Amino acid sequence: MGLLSLLSGLCRWNNNDEENSAARSFILSSVLWLAFVVSLALILATKFVWPDFLGGTAWLSFGRLRPLHVNGALFGWLSMSSTGIMLYILPRLTGVRLYSERLGNLTCLLWNLLLIGASITLPLGYTQGREYAEFILPLDYLFMSILALLGYNVFKTVARMKDKAMYVSLWYFLGSLVWMPFTYMVGNNFLMDTTGLGGRGPVPGVNDAMLNWWYGHNIIGMWFSTLGLGIFYYFLPVLTKNPLYSHRLSLIGFWTLAFFYVWNGQHHLIYGPGPDWLEDVAITFSVLMLIPVFAVVYNFFKTAQGSWHLMFDNSPEHLPVRFFMIGGLAYFLTCTQGPFQALKAVNSNLHLSYWVVAHAHLAFLATFSFISMASIYYVLPRLLNTSINLRLAHWHFWLLCLGLIIFLGILHTAGIVQGAMWLVKLEEYDFVTGSALFKPAVEFIDIVRLLHPFYFTLWLGAGLMATGVMLFVVNVLLTFYKADSPGGRLRSKGA
Amino acid sequence: MYTALILFILAGSIICLGGIYYKRSIVLGILVPGAMLLIIIAFLSTAVLPYMEKIPATDKGVPYSERALLGRQIYVREGCWYCHTQQVRPIRTDAGLGNVSQPGDYQYDYPHVLGTERTGPDLSHLGGKYEDDWHRNHLMNPRPKTPEEEGMAGKVKGSVMPPFSYLSREETEALVTYLQSLR
Ligand code: HEM
Ligand code: HEM
């Protein structure tokens, strides 16, 4: 019943010209997708412990649900929540209304259709078979139109702005919207559909891998990071209640990121079959990434100085702060980890291991999902003119954090263990040629056996995280429900 | 090529500095295309320049048979490549896995299946390692091949590979043909 009324509410909002209604639709949809992908994640984690769990069914098999978890989390939850928050922030930074709320709502509707499409096609096995680019061609076109509509809306809004200094968040938003369509187009092999193809393609396999990782890397850097950092910079002074430490530094961060990030793609294929010079270029730029990263991190620490106690403040007003601060700290961790694992000596041990999965969740979950959650907790009471359930929010925080510590800890350790086990070799000297032959000293299956306790711990962590996240989703839905019920009132004007 | 690379980096730096020093919305019309240019420059350097390089042919880089191609599609569809890599690197970690992968090996691999995780073993040189029947049984249910073992602290489970019992007969046969063609 609740769900039905929510859906009808969503439809109502989708044809709505009310101020902030687009932001609201996006946030509501993103949260629903979050619940969906986290349930999938739990299935995946369960399958590592009990591989036969739901095993005999084609559309529930690991290889078909994994892309749905990844794409759903990235394009459903993270992209939609970031977009919603961006649409909330835009009028506040430009001083003008969003160009068209109706267009924003339409975009949201199309975006939901895209994900529904993906939720059907991916489990049925329709995939382009390249990581982060699994959506089939029709969905790619749909996504491109969505990006075009969104970009049009945002640029029209910014164009109406009176001449003012551009706050760095605006740069990040505009940048994302300029870069993302190009990145997406390259990565998804427009005009050269890979569905159902095999063998000789328009580009050789090595180049296909390079393009795939050029895209896989840049979608992270030129879309998720930039949207997330735009939001981060808006809420940094708002939540810490201090003025931004340095605008110049924030701009240095933005433009160096714009410059350096795109060169990094090949660090996903270090020692792979691609050209060596490209790997060296990618590694160099990965280390250079420390400049934009520390521009952000230094600004964060300097601005947050003196406000850390707000993290431990239990009043509703400061609820978002703890999520936000954890997000900032996790950004610092991820982005020091990144250049480190791009170094050849390190990468040769950690590449292909669970360390990378840990890095991915440290970045997407602990950093950007936390920033999104903080923003949603900040934005919702203002958009809906109600309050958030504080107790649920605190449970959400602690369960998620505890789960994350277990999950990330065990994945990082598992990665190190895997790397170490792969490294153990038996040496055989060939006395005729004088060269040494190396053979793996540990059978692969014995490494799998060794990992079972890790998988189980991972499953426990995943369970805690999923519970925490579900509490978040329930909390947000309850807030919407409260605002929509006769007792509450949806204000027509946003705060 | 290196000249092009250096020129690109110089051009990027200029745009970058421009962005840092001008922060008024008036310059939007110049800087937004500038931001676009940055990504295009990097795209040309890191995706188009490498494409210009010639790829020497190798013994492994030969066309697949009709049936193996079908099997390859199933390999892609079922997401085997999320758990299995097909690349052998020239480092100690990969020593003993077979010949180091060359660019030419992948001439007929589209979409690529290099993989990013080694939850399962590398499959670059799998062909001929087992009988066809072994693969059929393994795909049907991987557990019997790697049964539970008595460890120091009780039973230790084996493979975490999912069962692919839902594949039709032809699909399984095609997949096995593909796996055997990986030499
Ligand atoms: C300075 C910043 C960063 C650097 C230098 C960096 C570097 C790297 C490197 C070298 C890898 C490849 C690891 C391997 O396969 O061996 C990697 C993987 C990854 N990174 Fe980062 N990273 C950075 C920040 C981020 C951020 C902010 C995010 C997310 C928003 C992110 C998301 C990912 C993901 C999802 C992967 C896994 C890709 C896959 O194999 O599926 N990284 N990163
Ligand atoms: C309760 C929360 C979550 C759990 C338990 C979870 C679990 C998992 C698992 C088990 C995998 C597969 C790893 C493998 O194949 O070995 C995975 C992959 C992935 N997940 Fe999650 N996940 C969660 C939330 C999220 C969220 C919120 C995001 C993004 C916003 C995300 C992004 C990803 C990405 C990008 C990958 C691919 C990593 C790679 O290729 O290296 N996950 N996750």
Side-chain angles (χ1 to χ4, degrees):
Chain A
M1 251 354 261
L3 195 68
L4 260 176
S5 79
L6 267 170
L7 282 178
S8 74
L10 196 64
C11 293
R12 182 151 44 80
W13 284 331
N14 267 322
N15 185 18
N16 191 335
D17 205 19
E18 233 175 74
E19 209 165 340
N20 291 320
S21 63
R24 221 157 45 200
S25 316
F26 267 104
I27 290 175
L28 179 58
S29 322
S30 75
V31 163
L32 291 173
W33 287 110
L34 178 63
F36 179 58
V37 299
V38 163
S39 331
L40 292 177
L42 210 51
I43 298 182
L44 292 184
T46 312
K47 278 171 179 281
F48 277 122
V49 186
W50 296 282
D52 291 313
F53 174 68
L54 303 179
T57 325
W59 56 276
L60 288 172
S61 96
F62 183 89
R64 295 192 184 185
L65 290 189
R66 190 186 189 276
L68 190 51
H69 163 62
V70 174
N71 288 294
L74 298 186
F75 298 117
W77 151 243
L78 206 51
S79 296
M80 289 189 91
S81 62
S82 303
T83 306
I85 298 156
M86 171 176 78
L87 294 182
Y88 168 87
I89 293 176
L90 265 183
R92 283 151 187 86
L93 282 182
T94 54
V96 294
R97 269 192 72 161
L98 184 67
Y99 170 68
S100 164
E101 292 285 345
R102 202 165 260 141
L103 184 60
N105 281 312
L106 176 72
T107 315
C108 180
L109 185 69
L110 289 178
W111 207 318
N112 281 314
L113 286 182
L114 167 80
L115 286 155
I116 291 172
S119 316
I120 295 168
T121 52
L122 286 176
L124 288 183
Y126 297 101
T127 167
Q128 287 196 325
R130 301 151 92 251
E131 208 167 359
Y132 305 115
E134 282 100 341
F135 287 175
I136 53 171
L137 207 57
L139 295 180
D140 287 342
Y141 282 116
L142 181 54
F143 195 35
M144 286 298 285
S145 353
I146 289 171
L147 287 175
L149 292 181
L150 183 65
Y152 182 73
N153 213 345
V154 170
F155 272 92
K156 275 287 195 186
T157 312
V158 175
R160 285 178 171 183
M161 169 182 175
K162 304 278 173 302
D163 182 36
K164 282 208 294 188
M166 294 262 291
Y167 187 62
V168 67
S169 294
L170 282 180
W171 273 122
Y172 275 112
F173 294 151
L174 294 185
S176 316
L177 287 164
V178 168
W179 295 318
M180 176 63 175
F182 182 68
T183 310
Y184 196 80
M185 214 157 67
V186 170
N188 285 275
N189 284 12
F190 268 62
L191 313 177
M192 10 186 213
D193 190 4
T194 56
T195 324
L197 253 170
R200 185 88 182 158
V203 293
V206 173
N207 297 91
D208 188 42
M210 281 188 232
L211 280 176
N212 187 182
W213 283 113
W214 187 89
Y215 159 77
H217 182 78
N218 290 324
I219 196 166
I220 290 166
M222 315 312 268
W223 176 247
F224 297 109
S225 289
T226 40
L227 272 187
L229 287 178
I231 295 169
F232 182 78
Y233 266 121
Y234 177 80
F235 284 108
L236 181 57
V238 169
L239 288 179
T240 58
K241 302 209 176 337
N242 298 328
L244 185 68
Y245 169 70
S246 163
H247 285 278
R248 171 59 44 87
L249 194 60
S250 70
L251 282 178
I252 291 177
F254 173 77
W255 284 99
T256 47
L257 181 123
F259 183 23
F260 297 156
Y261 214 104
V262 197
W263 299 73
N264 286 348
Q266 198 70 5
H267 70 201
H268 292 266
L269 295 168
I270 294 175
Y271 284 122
D276 289 343
W277 64 266
L278 192 56
E279 283 167 22
D280 295 336
V281 167
I283 294 168
T284 313
F285 275 91
S286 304
V287 176
L288 281 176
M289 276 301 292
L290 286 172
I291 297 171
V293 165
F294 277 90
V296 173
V297 170
Y298 193 69
N299 237 340
F300 168 60
F301 280 119
K302 277 297 195 181
T303 310
Q305 217 169 38
S307 297
W308 288 93
H309 64 277
L310 295 181
M311 257 181 99
F312 307 102
D313 190 330
N314 279 338
S315 67
E317 188 200 349
H318 294 132
L319 171 65
V321 180
R322 58 187 68 182
F323 290 93
F324 187 82
M325 296 299 209
I326 299 275
L329 287 173
Y331 184 76
F332 169 60
L333 285 181
T334 319
C335 293
T336 6
Q337 188 184 45
F340 166 75
Q341 74 195 13
L343 301 175
K344 277 194 169 177
V346 181
N347 194 274
S348 62
N349 289 317
L350 296 177
H351 189 40
L352 309 179
S353 76
Y354 287 125
W355 178 281
V356 183
V357 182
H359 170 71
H361 286 89
L362 186 57
F364 280 127
L365 188 49
T367 307
F368 290 112
S369 293
F370 265 62
I371 292 174
S372 272
M373 286 168 181
S375 325
I376 289 179
Y377 275 152
Y378 178 88
V379 167
L380 268 195
R382 287 165 177 76
L383 283 188
L384 300 175
N385 199 22
T386 46
S387 56
I388 303 256
N389 184 331
L390 212 56
R391 261 173 65 120
L392 269 184
H394 287 161
W395 275 102
H396 159 210
F397 180 77
W398 289 109
L399 283 177
L400 185 53
C401 280
L402 186 63
L404 255 178
I405 290 169
I406 298 175
F407 185 86
L408 292 180
I410 209 70
L411 277 176
H412 279 114
T413 326
I416 295 171
V417 169
Q418 278 178 303
M421 297 314 273
W422 292 335
L423 210 53
V424 190
K425 300 287 173 190
L426 290 175
E427 281 180 55
E428 285 172 9
Y429 280 100
D430 186 336
F431 290 105
V432 182
T433 59
S435 58
L437 281 175
F438 292 95
K439 287 215 157 58
V442 189
E443 290 254 7
F444 195 90
I445 183 62
D446 288 331
I447 304 179
V448 178
R449 292 211 156 93
L450 193 67
L451 285 177
H452 270 290
F454 290 82
Y455 287 135
F456 187 72
T457 321
L458 177 95
W459 180 71
L460 291 180
L464 286 176
M465 272 155 71
T467 320
V469 170
M470 287 304 178
L471 290 183
F472 168 69
V473 175
V474 167
N475 205 348
V476 171
L477 295 187
L478 276 179
T479 313
F480 269 98
Y481 191 72
K482 216 159 51 175
D484 213 13
S485 65
R489 226 164 34 82
L490 273 174
R491 276 206 302 186
S492 56
K493 279 227 154 131
Chain B
M1 197 168 67
Y2 285 102
T3 333
L5 210 62
I6 290 167
L7 281 180
F8 282 155
I9 293 181
L10 276 178
S13 316
I14 292 170
I15 298 175
C16 193
L17 284 176
I20 294 170
Y21 279 94
Y22 294 93
K23 53 179 175 190
R24 310 203 61 83
S25 53
I26 297 240
V27 290
L28 219 62
I30 308 169
L31 282 180
V32 169
M36 192 64 212
L37 211 58
L38 280 178
I39 193 173
I40 290 177
I41 285 173
F43 174 70
L44 291 176
S45 318
T46 61
V48 179
L49 281 186
Y51 185 61
M52 308 286 181
E53 286 195 356
K54 260 194 92 66
I55 300 178
T58 62
D59 292 344
K60 194 168 153 40
V62 291
Y64 295 100
S65 72
E66 192 98 353
R67 193 141 79 135
L69 259 187
L70 190 64
R72 195 173 185 284
Q73 283 175 20
I74 292 157
Y75 187 89
V76 171
R77 190 187 77 194
E78 298 306 327
C80 309
W81 50 279
Y82 291 116
C83 289
H84 291 284
T85 55
Q86 286 192 26
Q87 50 175 324
V88 180
R89 297 165 293 166
I91 50 176
R92 188 185 161 111
T93 303
D94 286 10
L97 297 187
N99 292 340
V100 170
S101 303
Q102 303 299 323
D105 296 352
Y106 303 99
Q107 209 62 3
Y108 295 89
D109 275 17
Y110 189 86
H112 77 94
V113 286
L114 291 183
T116 58
E117 261 180 63
R118 268 192 199 149
T119 301
D122 187 84
L123 300 183
S124 306
H125 305 289
L126 178 74
K129 182 174 174 187
Y130 303 107
E131 301 284 312
D132 285 3
D133 245 357
W134 189 95
H135 283 301
R136 287 186 197 107
N137 294 333
H138 183 253
L139 285 172
M140 189 60 76
N141 181 6
R143 246 66 57 205
K145 302 279 179 213
T146 53
E148 285 195 352
E149 271 183 3
E150 209 57 57
M152 277 186 295
K155 287 239 192 291
V156 187
K157 293 195 221 170
S159 180
V160 294
M161 176 157 150
F164 291 94
S165 47
Y166 58 82
L167 292 179
S168 74
R169 236 192 123 73
E170 299 95 85
E171 285 176 332
T172 311
E173 289 309 311
L175 188 54
V176 172
T177 313
Y178 169 67
L179 292 176
Q180 296 291 25
S181 77
L182 300 169
R183 301 241 166 207

